[in-house]
Amino acid sequence: MTSEIEFNTDFIKNIDESLSFNQTVELLSKNLLEKDLVKKDYPQQVQKRELNFPTGLPTEPIGVAIPHTDPQYVNKNAISVGILKHPISMTVMGTDDQTVDVSIIFLLSLTQANKQLNILKRIMGIVQNQKMLKEFMTDSNTEIFQKVNRAVLEEEK
């Protein structure tokens, strides 16, 4: 892990129960809040931003979302990953009427807008790899950590 972005197996949640998007963001934000990586209103700001700027990606068969919010709600860079047993219907990025059933969420907490673009580009490499996404659904947290670390964070060093 790089010192620039906080990410470890504690930031990966396998969510077995059926939750709403807002509940999922709350759950994925818990560690971020406990470690003071984000400000207390971070979860609400992510939820609010999603209403105006949806982050669902229409990937098949496993839908992905990359919710985030403005840097002023973040204290330190971090990534959280949610693996959802029960997909959430989310609005597709760039639309207001198309939906996608999302099973994997990459919750980004980044302090700089330019860093968001760099990390988003790297995460898109994972998103476009359906074989890897399918593996995420059954991988251990350690395996997911290693794959995300390799694909997204190692280039940050």
Side-chain angles (χ1 to χ4, degrees):
M1 179 182 71
T2 73
S3 58
E4 286 196 40
I5 298 179
E6 294 285 323
F7 180 65
N8 61 52
T9 54
D10 293 340
F11 291 75
I12 300 167
K13 300 287 180 210
N14 288 284
I15 303 170
D16 292 333
E17 63 267 38
S18 183
L19 299 178
S20 68
F21 173 74
N22 287 357
Q23 291 169 318
T24 303
V25 168
E26 295 283 341
L27 183 63
L28 293 176
S29 299
K30 193 172 180 197
N31 277 349
L32 303 174
L33 289 163
E34 287 171 358
K35 296 179 189 297
D36 198 35
L37 300 174
V38 296
K39 297 188 170 43
K40 66 177 174 45
D41 53 350
Y42 171 83
Q44 293 76 28
Q45 293 301 323
V46 170
Q47 295 160 359
K48 185 175 164 186
R49 187 185 187 286
E50 189 70 25
L51 293 174
N52 297 315
F53 303 101
T55 62
L57 300 171
T59 52
E60 293 288 338
I62 297 172
V64 176
I66 310 174
H68 52 281
T69 193
D70 298 322
Q72 72 251 33
Y73 302 105
V74 177
N75 295 326
K76 190 156 192 268
N77 299 317
I79 296 175
S80 297
V81 179
I83 308 298
L84 312 176
K85 186 175 183 179
H86 302 280
I88 298 170
S89 181
M90 293 181 63
T91 303
V92 172
M93 186 182 293
T95 76
D96 54 14
D97 60 349
Q98 296 174 32
T99 60
V100 59
D101 289 335
V102 170
S103 296
I104 300 175
I105 292 181
F106 291 93
L107 179 61
L108 305 183
S109 312
L110 302 169
T111 57
Q112 301 166 325
N114 63 332
K115 188 168 285 291
Q116 285 181 352
L117 288 176
N118 291 337
I119 296 299
L120 281 171
K121 277 191 237 172
R122 294 191 187 126
I123 287 178
M124 289 309 288
I126 295 173
V127 169
Q128 293 169 350
N129 183 342
Q130 278 293 317
K131 179 179 180 287
M132 187 182 296
L133 294 178
K134 286 178 192 165
E135 291 169 357
F136 276 20
M137 299 306 293
T138 56
D139 277 350
S140 70
N141 286 5
T142 300
E143 291 167 320
I144 294 169
F145 167 77
Q146 290 168 342
K147 289 173 183 174
V148 172
N149 198 46
R150 264 194 311 273
V152 178
L153 301 179
E154 284 187 354
E155 292 179 37
E156 284 290 299
K157 290 181 181 171

